[in-house]
């Protein structure tokens, strides 16, 4: 559904932009953000953790935001938190406490421009992004107006094991607004072990369930030339006292650097879980690690070229490339990059892979789910399950028989959207390698749709939790525009594949199916006087058509080619 929904949302946004733009680049939006040099920019918003950066197609992420604090995490592991401050003339302040903080988000990376009235003429630019091809983050810092005697102080620590928790879900600010105020928690440094081995340091969290073993190690390297030491996190609220401290109950890694306006400081942080071989080649060269990370994020910006009158729309579209990449957990685009980072065959994200040219990824997902399609089954009859008060299909129902995708959809019909999205990939590419395995799978799926959702053969299909918002949608088993549209577009693709391969019988069959579906749609669902279809047709009783539409019953028939041109 994502591509379809995006099309309509984009149209609405563009229309709004054309109405509201007083001149190029100027809009009437009321927002705390602006767009400067293609970046989503905020000034003194005070918000933490609202700009997660997705790490290399896994559920690792850097939790950062408008405030300059960055956490590296994956699965149930918080690998640590990074923050940086300034000491001048015996007084210190962390950058997240500066009185002027401008944040700039570009696809896959965050940059801050910082100054403070306590440090006249000093400006700091800080940037963070994921390292390429590993679980890690790279950071750089540059100064302007640094004085002799100024010191930058940085800290990294607070590594934690959160057993049984998926931190990508737990730390999604859309589900937990309290995270917007979460900066640094000294207590998280308890049980951290600090090791400084030459010019690479390590933070280790012991495995409490296994003696003399560690859950993970984080390797840290800074290119400044000044070696870090261990410090006491409980003193963090006084940067001067913290910089002079040694580890006690709450050990944390810290370093001090004499800033030089002519030099950029780089850090690299790489996590190694238990059982993973430690290859330190990437983390040992922080400047190279950052440069490789920049190449990765620049590839997102190069993937989409957009230039509308509305800079907000342009920036949001560019950001969506990093978001779609963030949902790619090979071989599947998962449901969400933070919360709901789980595999489903349908819902929304495959369209993003097609639109942004990741056709190899879409092919991989198509193969993955089609490999699980039921090709033969003795499940022939529809059966409701009394264990769920007849609200779901029984495990022996026709629903789970021939044509059903057996992976990752439980009791949902996510496969109608899955096949619709792969049909879109076929329309974009006409890839013969895709057609080779997709055509037969589509035929089985269309058979499954007919026997499950159009048993009376009138060409109007029932919807059964088949689009994302239908968790709370009730149809009473009657015909709907949604599933009917999916069926129509599926038969269009099947007809064209048959025609291209010279299969006259199959082409004729699908042509007749298209005529039947179109006839049923216009005779039973279409409201001529209103120019749209109804929401659904009652299966029994009065057999009434519920005329109030919703978004899906309006745009899906248009997308499918069912409605008049």
């Amino acid at each position: 559904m994502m591509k379809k929904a995006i099309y309509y949302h984009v149209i609405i946004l563009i229309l709004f932009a054309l109405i509201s733009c007083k001149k190029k680049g100027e809009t009437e939006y009321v927002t705390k953000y602006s767009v400067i040099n293609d970046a989503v920019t905020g000034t003194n918003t005070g918000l933490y953790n609202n700009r997660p950066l997705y790490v290399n197609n896994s559920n690792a992420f850097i939790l950062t935001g408008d405030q300059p604090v960055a956490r590296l995490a994956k699965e149930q592991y918080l690998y640590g938190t990074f923050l940086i401050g300034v000491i001048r003339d015996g007084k210190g302040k962390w950058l997240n406490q500066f009185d002027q903080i401008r944040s700039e988000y570009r696809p896959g990376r965050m940059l801050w421009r910082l100054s403070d009235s306590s440090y006249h003429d000093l400006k700091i630019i800080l940037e963070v992004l994921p390292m390429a091809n590993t679980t890690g983050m790279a950071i750089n810092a540059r100064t302007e107006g640094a004085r002799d005697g100024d010191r930058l102080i940085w800290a990294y620590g607070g590594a934690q094991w959160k057993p049984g928790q998926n931190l990508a879900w737990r730390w999604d600010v859309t589900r937990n607004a309290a995270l917007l105020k979460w900066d640094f928690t000294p207590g998280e440094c308890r049980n951290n072990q600090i090791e400084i081995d030459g010019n690479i340091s390590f933070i280790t969290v012991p495995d409490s369930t296994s003696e003399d073993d560690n859950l993970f190690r984080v390797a840290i390297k800074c290119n400044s030339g000044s070696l870090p030491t261990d410090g006491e996190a409980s003193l963090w609220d006084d940067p001067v006292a913290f910089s002079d401290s040694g580890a006690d109950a709450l050990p944390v890694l810290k370093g001090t650097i004499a800033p030089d306006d002519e030099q950029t400081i780089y850090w690299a942080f790489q996590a190694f879980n238990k059982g993973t071989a430690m290859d330190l080649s990437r983390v040992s060269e922080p400047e190279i690690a950052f440069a490789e990370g920049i190449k990765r994020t620049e590839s997102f910006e190069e993937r989409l070229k957009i230039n509308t009158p509305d800079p907000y729309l342009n920036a949001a579209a560019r950001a969506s490339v990093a978001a779609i990449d963030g949902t790619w957990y090979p071989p599947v685009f998962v449901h969400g990059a933070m919360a709901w980072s789980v595999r489903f065959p349908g819902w929304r994200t495959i369209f993003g892979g097609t639109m942004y040219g990741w056709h190899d990824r879409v092919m991989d997902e198509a193969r993955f789910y089609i490999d699980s399609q039921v090709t033969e089954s003795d499940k022939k009859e529809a059966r409701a399950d009394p264990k769920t008060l007849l609200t779901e299909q029984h495990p022996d129902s026709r629903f789970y028989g021939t044509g059903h995708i057996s992976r990752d959809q439980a009791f949902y019909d996510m496969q109608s959207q899955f096949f619709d999205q792969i049909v879109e990939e076929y329309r974009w590419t006409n890839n013969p390698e895709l057609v080779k395995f997709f055509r037969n799978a589509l035929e089985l799926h269309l058979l499954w749709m007919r026997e499950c959702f159009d048993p009376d053969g009138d060409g109007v299909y029932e919807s059964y939790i088949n689009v994302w918002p239908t968790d709370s949608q009730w149809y009473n088993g009657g015909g709907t525009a949604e599933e009917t549209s999916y069926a129509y577009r599926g038969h269009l693709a099947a007809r064209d594949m048959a025609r291209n391969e010279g299969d006259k019988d199959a082409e004729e069959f699908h042509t007749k199916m298209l005529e039947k579906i179109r006839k049923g749609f216009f005779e039973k669902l279409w409201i001529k006087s209103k120019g749209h279809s109804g929401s659904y047709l009652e299966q029994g009783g009065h057999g009434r058509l519920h005329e109030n539409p919703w978004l899906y019953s309006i745009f899906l028939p248009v997308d499918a080619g069912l409605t008049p041109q």
Side-chain angles (χ1 to χ4, degrees):
M1 294 306 303
M2 191 188 82
K3 174 174 178 288
K4 301 171 184 296
I6 282 177
Y7 280 170
Y8 278 82
H9 293 157
V10 166
I11 290 169
I12 292 169
L13 284 168
I14 290 174
L15 289 174
F16 179 77
L18 293 174
I19 293 169
S20 65
C21 284
K22 292 180 284 187
K23 59 184 179 180
K24 183 176 176 62
E26 187 175 349
T27 72
E28 299 286 357
Y29 295 145
V30 178
T31 172
K32 65 181 68 176
Y33 296 100
S34 57
V35 177
I36 301 175
N37 296 327
D38 297 331
V40 179
T41 302
T43 301
N44 296 333
T45 71
L47 301 178
Y48 293 84
N49 309 312
N50 60 326
R51 302 288 181 200
L53 309 177
Y54 313 121
V55 178
N56 298 304
N57 309 119
S58 69
N59 61 351
F61 58 95
I62 299 169
L63 191 63
T64 190
D66 293 338
Q67 294 292 96
V69 173
R71 292 175 170 84
L72 178 63
K74 182 180 182 179
E75 299 167 349
Q76 55 191 340
Y77 303 121
L78 169 57
Y79 295 123
T81 302
F82 176 87
L83 66 163
I84 185 170
V86 173
I87 296 175
R88 172 183 285 179
D89 299 332
K91 297 180 180 179
K93 183 179 284 190
W94 297 105
L95 297 193
N96 57 299
Q97 298 167 342
F98 271 31
D99 55 29
Q100 293 298 317
I101 300 175
R102 190 173 102 177
S103 63
E104 299 179 8
Y105 172 81
R106 292 176 177 85
R109 56 189 165 122
M110 277 297 298
L111 181 147
W112 301 269
R113 301 181 189 274
L114 306 118
S115 61
D116 190 90
S117 56
S118 300
Y119 305 105
H120 185 64
D121 292 333
L122 177 64
K123 297 179 181 178
I124 298 174
I125 299 174
L126 183 70
E127 191 165 12
V128 60
L129 46 72
M131 290 172 63
N133 304 312
T134 189
T135 301
M137 69 176 176
I139 296 174
N140 78 12
R142 309 185 294 280
T143 61
E144 298 176 12
R147 297 178 182 176
D148 289 343
D150 285 353
R151 287 185 293 162
L152 295 181
I153 179 167
W154 62 272
Y156 184 81
Q160 289 279 299
W161 176 36
K162 307 282 188 180
Q165 299 183 31
N166 183 332
L167 297 182
W169 286 53
R170 182 181 179 188
W171 291 344
D172 186 328
V173 295
T174 64
R175 299 166 61 88
N176 184 358
L179 296 168
L180 295 171
K181 298 300 181 183
W182 180 32
D183 51 7
F184 179 68
T185 307
E188 291 177 343
C189 297
R190 194 177 307 279
N191 299 323
N192 285 196
Q193 295 179 353
I194 310 296
E195 177 186 351
I196 300 171
D197 184 5
N199 58 7
I200 296 181
S201 304
F202 299 90
I203 292 182
T204 301
V205 172
D207 186 348
S208 59
T209 67
S210 178
E211 190 175 353
D212 299 325
D213 204 357
N214 300 315
L215 289 168
F216 58 81
R217 299 185 83 194
V218 183
I220 303 106
K221 172 74 183 292
C222 178
N223 77 333
S224 70
S226 60
L227 293 178
T229 61
D230 54 14
E232 173 57 28
S234 63
L235 300 175
W236 86 284
D237 57 349
D238 181 348
V240 175
F242 174 75
S243 70
D244 296 332
S245 71
D248 190 8
L250 303 175
V252 64
L253 187 70
K254 65 179 176 65
T256 56
I257 301 167
D260 182 341
D261 290 356
E262 302 300 319
Q263 294 183 347
T264 301
I265 305 161
Y266 292 90
W267 293 262
F269 307 81
Q270 187 173 3
F272 301 93
N273 286 355
K274 181 169 65 174
T276 302
M278 287 213 317
D279 176 1
L280 301 177
S281 60
R282 290 190 178 95
V283 75
S284 63
E285 299 286 350
E287 186 171 356
I288 294 175
F290 191 89
E292 292 298 317
I294 282 286
K295 288 180 183 177
R296 174 178 173 270
T297 63
E298 286 177 344
S299 73
F300 299 150
E301 298 184 56
E302 291 297 318
R303 190 163 284 271
L304 174 66
K305 298 298 184 183
I306 181 171
N307 183 21
T308 76
D310 188 340
Y312 290 89
L313 178 57
N314 297 341
R318 292 188 189 98
S320 72
V321 178
I324 293 297
D325 179 75
T327 65
W328 175 245
Y329 293 12
V332 167
F333 288 100
V334 295
H335 186 44
M338 290 291 284
W340 292 100
S341 54
V342 293
R343 294 188 327 209
F344 292 141
W347 287 194
R348 54 191 180 178
T349 45
I350 307 175
F351 279 130
T354 293
M355 285 190 292
Y356 293 145
W358 282 304
H359 301 297
D360 54 337
R361 296 178 176 184
V362 177
M363 284 276 286
D364 286 348
E365 177 157 356
R367 286 193 181 96
F368 177 77
Y369 282 118
I370 285 171
D371 283 349
S372 76
Q373 189 176 36
V374 178
T375 57
E376 294 182 4
S377 175
D378 58 0
K379 298 174 182 179
K380 305 292 186 183
E381 302 294 331
R383 287 186 60 192
D385 192 346
K387 290 183 179 180
T388 56
L389 302 179
L390 308 181
T391 60
E392 297 173 13
Q393 289 297 291
H394 190 277
D396 291 333
S397 168
R398 170 67 186 90
F399 183 78
Y400 297 103
T402 300
H404 183 258
I405 298 294
S406 60
R407 284 178 173 153
D408 300 335
Q409 59 175 337
F411 53 83
Y412 286 85
D413 166 22
M414 296 181 179
Q415 73 181 69
S416 289
Q417 281 198 3
F418 165 75
F419 278 94
D420 192 63
Q421 291 178 96
I422 305 304
V423 163
E424 187 72 8
E425 174 72 11
Y426 161 68
R427 294 301 190 192
W428 280 54
T429 66
N430 195 24
N431 185 342
E433 290 301 312
L434 173 65
V435 173
K436 188 181 297 182
F437 67 86
F438 180 58
R439 183 187 171 198
N440 186 62
L442 179 60
E443 293 284 358
L444 290 176
H445 168 66
L446 293 172
L447 172 66
W448 177 82
M449 290 179 76
R450 288 195 301 277
E451 294 186 355
C452 289
F453 305 129
D454 186 24
D456 61 1
D458 65 356
V460 178
Y461 290 66
E462 172 190 356
S463 286
Y464 179 85
I465 43 179
N466 61 345
V467 297
W468 173 70
T470 53
D471 277 5
S472 57
Q473 189 81 353
W474 177 249
Y475 293 116
N476 192 32
T480 68
E482 295 88 84
E483 193 71 7
T484 302
S485 298
Y486 290 138
Y488 189 80
R489 205 158 89 112
H491 280 286
L492 273 174
R495 181 203 65 188
D496 292 348
M497 290 182 198
R499 178 183 293 161
N500 291 340
E501 295 191 14
D503 188 340
K504 297 295 185 183
D505 290 341
E507 180 185 352
E508 182 179 352
F509 168 76
H510 290 295
T511 298
K512 290 180 178 178
M513 285 300 304
L514 290 166
E515 293 169 354
K516 177 191 289 188
I517 293 169
R518 190 173 180 83
K519 182 174 184 291
F521 176 80
F522 281 102
E523 289 184 355
K524 297 192 173 186
L525 294 175
W526 188 253
I527 308 169
K528 186 175 181 180
S529 61
K530 296 183 177 181
H532 61 74
S533 72
S535 178
Y536 72 96
L537 189 68
E538 292 176 350
Q539 186 178 40
H542 296 289
R544 294 168 296 190
L545 176 64
H546 289 240
E547 295 191 354
N548 289 336
W550 65 318
L551 182 62
Y552 286 74
S553 63
I554 292 175
F555 75 76
L556 272 175
V558 176
D559 277 357
L562 260 171
T563 53
Q565 298 300 313

